[in-house]
Structures are given as structure tokens and as C-alpha cells.
Amino acid sequence: MKNVLVTGGAGYIGSHTVLALVDYGYNPIIVDNFSNASPKVIDRLEKLANRPIKCYSIDCCDKKALEQVFVENEIFGVIHFAGYKAVGESVQKPLMYYQNNLISLLNVVEVMHEHNCLNLIFSSSATVYGAPKSVPIYEDFPLHVTNPYGRTKLMIEEILTDYVKANPEFKVALLRYFNPIGAHESGLIGEDPNGIPNNLMPYITQVCIGKLDHVRVFGNDYPTKDGTGVRDYVHVMDLAVGHSLTLKKMENCSENLLIYNLGTGKGSSVLDVIHEMEKAVGHSIKYEIVARRAGDIAECYANCDKAYQELGFKAKYNLFDMCKSSWNFQQKNPNGIK
Ligand code: UD1
């Protein structure tokens, strides 16, 4: 079995990807500093995978510690999720974002280089498209970012693009995620934000569980079907499978820079999500229309043909499945994974 190092493997997308890797016959090894995830996630992953999962509690900014992982294990590839991800916080603390997200990536690539590990998947985001000229968004659309978080994603894409030019034997896949929501069907792992959630789905589930009073809908005057923002919500388990398919592709292809949108190709409005969630929980959800959130765009959804044609990636879960599984996780973990 090939060892795949998953940085940020205890986090939301990372933990689900660990399970998908096991399903596809890889041996995931987790690196996480647990700054934004609970160590309990590892026990739960072992239970779900029905086998031990090696985990190193280290920070990717600590290059020596990272090197030790490569000394102790032969690593076939790395999936790099570890990083700060809150847009608002990045505007307040830009240096913290550049320091953490860029240094950890540089360490990962340098250590891979030293140990002749040649396959890297980077966890990028649709945020690199900024306000797109049109929708759906194709991979070759112009890139433009509006905040330090997004800029770290774009800078890392550029760094890796330069790196593969200089090192053609090294393969990189840039996966641009749209809006991941949902949770593993067991309800044992899911999105577990600290404090009041910034993103729509965890905010809605916390309203449903009674921790927050009502959903604030950020604007209903966008040029969309019902005036609220439209996004491409994709089930985190579909996204997780997308990583395994990408690794399989990297094992057999000659190209050394792969770029894919991972979404469903379908746009849903904020009100669509609230109404679908009402079906999943079986009662109405209180919401209020408030002002637009600074920096938000009207519509963002993917064209996913490239990922389908080249990886065989196709999202199998719909919005109702996503809502149901998010709700299941919230109900089973009313206070998160503690
Ligand atoms: C956000 C980030 C994006 C990041 C992604 C990661 C911003 C501007 N963008 O995407 O860079 O990659 O998260 O998950 O923060 N909404 C409400 N009420 C809420 C929360 C959200 O109406 O309480 C609306 C938003 O206006 C938007 C939609 O719901 O139309 C989705 O918002 P969110 O879940 O925060 O994701 P994005 O903003 O698309």
C-alpha cells in the first residue's frame, strides 16, 4: 500500500479524504497541529476505517519535525490541506496568514524534494477566480483574489507552477474546491468550526440545534433568481473521493501540472439551502434578510467537465443529501467534537 501524507488530516476536508484514501487502497498518514481540529477525530477515523491510522501531532512550519516523518516513512504523495482559512481573519491578520500558509507549503515541497517524493495535491479554492466574468467557471478563467486568504491560495498555485517548470519529474495537482458542505454518513466527523461560524452551512445547523437564533441572509438584491447569493455546494465525501481519483491519475499520467474544479456544476441560492435544510430537519428555519457581506459575489459555480473527463469525477450527492448529513453530524455533536 502506498503511503500518502495528509497535512491537516484531522480537519474538515482532510478527515473525510483520509477515509476515501483508505477506500481506494492507500495508506494515509496524518500530520496535524490540532490548532483547528480535535485529536478525537483520529480515534473516530480509526473506528470508521477499522484500522490504526498513523498520526503526527506536528506543525508543517516546523521543518525538522516534518523531515522526521519522511525519515520514518516512505511517502508516495502528499495532500496538503494544512492552513488557515478564514477570510475575515486574514484581512485582520495578513502576516499571520502569509507566514503560516506559505512557510508550511515551502517546507512541504522542500522536504518532498529532499526525499524524492514526487506527487503533491494542493487544496486550492474557487476563491482564486475572484468575481468571475461569467458562470459556470472554467479552469482557464482569469485569476484574481481580493483578500489575504485567497492570495495565499493563488501565491501557492504560482509557486507550484514555477516549481514544476524547474522540476519536470515532480507532479502537482491544484484542486479548486467550490463550497464543501455535508458530513460522513456516520455523523462521527464533519465541519466543526471554533466559535460563531463564518460559513453558511454550519451557521444554519447551529440555528437548527438552537445555539443561534436565526440565519442572517447576506443580501437579497443580487442579480440571481431570488436575489440571494448563488454557490456550488458540493458534498465533502464527493470532494474526498476527488482526491483519491486525482492520485490515481497522477500514478499514470505524464503531465506534471493538473488543475481541476471540484464542484457539482449546479448553483444553489442561500434560500435554496435554507429550504432544503427545512426538509431535512422537518421544520421551518427562522431567517432574516440583512445587508450584503463585504467582498461577497453574486454567483459562483463550476464547470466540472474537465474533472469528469480526466478523473472520472462526478458528484453523486445532491443538496438534500448534503443538508441531511450536515444535520446528522450537528445532532450527534451538538457542541462539536469535544
Ligand atoms: C467562503 C470564502 C471563500 C472560502 C470558502 C471556504 C468569503 C467571502 N469567501 O466562501 O473564500 O474559500 O468560504 O468555505 O468568505 N451567507 C449568508 N449568511 C451567512 C453566511 C453566508 O447569507 O451567515 C451567504 C453568503 O453571502 C454566500 C453564501 O451564503 O452567498 C455562502 O457563504 P459561505 O458559506 O461563507 O461561503 P463563500 O462566501 O462562498
Side-chain angles (χ1 to χ4, degrees):
M1 258 194 293
K2 294 189 164 94
N3 292 326
V4 177
L5 195 71
V6 186
T7 74
Y12 175 43
I13 308 175
S15 58
H16 291 79
T17 299
V18 163
L19 294 178
L21 288 170
V22 171
D23 276 351
Y24 276 73
Y26 293 105
N27 183 43
I29 298 176
I30 294 175
V31 161
D32 208 298
N33 67 358
F34 297 100
S35 65
N36 195 23
S38 164
K40 286 214 169 122
V41 169
I42 308 300
D43 303 334
R44 295 182 178 200
L45 286 174
E46 290 186 328
K47 190 170 161 194
L48 292 168
N50 198 21
R51 68 172 213 220
I53 292 178
K54 216 188 245 189
C55 173
Y56 289 86
S57 179
I58 61 169
D59 192 317
C60 293
C61 291
D62 180 349
K63 193 173 167 197
K64 284 234 146 30
L66 200 57
E67 263 161 4
Q68 194 52 33
V69 178
F70 281 74
V71 169
E72 290 173 21
N73 305 276
E74 191 185 326
I75 308 289
F76 162 74
V78 178
I79 308 182
H80 184 53
F81 291 104
Y84 294 149
K85 61 174 185 179
V87 176
E89 185 184 52
S90 80
V91 175
Q92 302 301 322
K93 301 176 181 171
L95 294 186
M96 184 174 107
Y97 270 66
Y98 293 124
Q99 177 80 28
N100 184 67
N101 291 6
L102 298 180
I103 299 297
S104 57
L105 177 277
L106 293 172
N107 284 346
V108 165
V109 178
E110 281 178 354
V111 175
M112 288 177 75
H113 187 100
E114 285 156 21
H115 291 265
N116 202 30
C117 173
L118 299 176
N119 300 291
L120 173 65
I121 297 181
F122 174 61
S123 173
S124 191
S125 164
T127 197
V128 298
Y129 297 113
K133 59 181 182 188
S134 60
V135 280
I137 298 170
Y138 290 78
E139 285 86 351
D140 60 1
F141 270 27
L143 305 179
H144 172 73
V145 289
T146 53
N147 58 68
Y149 155 75
R151 194 157 292 113
T152 66
K153 293 289 180 198
L154 184 54
M155 287 167 89
I156 290 173
E157 287 203 1
E158 289 170 340
I159 290 169
L160 292 172
T161 304
D162 286 341
Y163 186 73
V164 293
K165 273 186 206 148
N167 298 274
E169 73 288 359
F170 193 84
K171 286 182 193 164
V172 164
L174 308 174
L175 299 184
R176 296 177 180 153
Y177 313 143
F178 281 69
N179 288 58
I181 59 171
H184 187 264
E185 58 175 0
S186 63
L188 286 177
I189 55 168
E191 187 169 11
D192 182 21
N194 282 327
I196 296 178
N198 297 310
N199 295 113
L200 180 64
M201 181 51 84
Y203 202 101
I204 293 179
T205 59
Q206 291 202 13
V207 169
C208 294
I209 202 96
K211 291 180 92 174
L212 295 167
D213 181 64
H214 64 278
V215 182
R216 296 167 307 154
V217 176
F218 295 145
N220 68 346
D221 56 353
Y222 286 104
T224 60
K225 60 175 182 174
D226 60 21
T228 67
V230 166
R231 297 290 183 274
D232 187 340
Y233 297 94
V234 54
H235 199 297
V236 68
M237 283 310 299
D238 279 325
L239 210 58
V241 167
H243 292 76
S244 299
L245 295 173
T246 304
L247 271 179
K248 291 275 173 225
K249 163 97 180 167
M250 292 171 97
E251 287 189 40
N252 300 310
C253 76
S254 54
E255 295 149 84
N256 68 346
L257 182 63
L258 302 166
I259 305 178
Y260 299 108
N261 286 340
L262 294 185
T264 62
K266 192 173 174 296
S268 303
S269 72
V270 177
L271 294 181
D272 287 337
V273 178
I274 293 175
H275 294 320
E276 213 57 29
M277 193 54 140
E278 288 176 333
K279 288 186 209 157
V281 299
H283 60 73
S284 65
I285 297 170
K286 205 165 130 192
Y287 69 85
E288 185 194 1
I289 308 289
V290 300
R292 290 181 178 195
R293 180 171 67 181
D296 274 355
I297 54 174
E299 281 194 294
C300 173
Y301 59 91
N303 176 290
C304 300
D305 291 351
K306 191 169 177 239
Y308 178 61
Q309 284 154 10
E310 296 186 15
L311 303 175
F313 170 82
K314 195 164 179 56
K316 74 174 191 199
Y317 296 105
N318 63 26
L319 187 58
F320 181 73
D321 303 324
M322 300 180 217
C323 289
K324 236 178 122 105
S325 63
S326 289
W327 177 228
N328 180 44
F329 172 74
Q330 181 73 78
Q331 278 180 300
K332 290 192 170 141
N333 305 274
N335 297 309
I337 303 175
K338 292 281 164 334

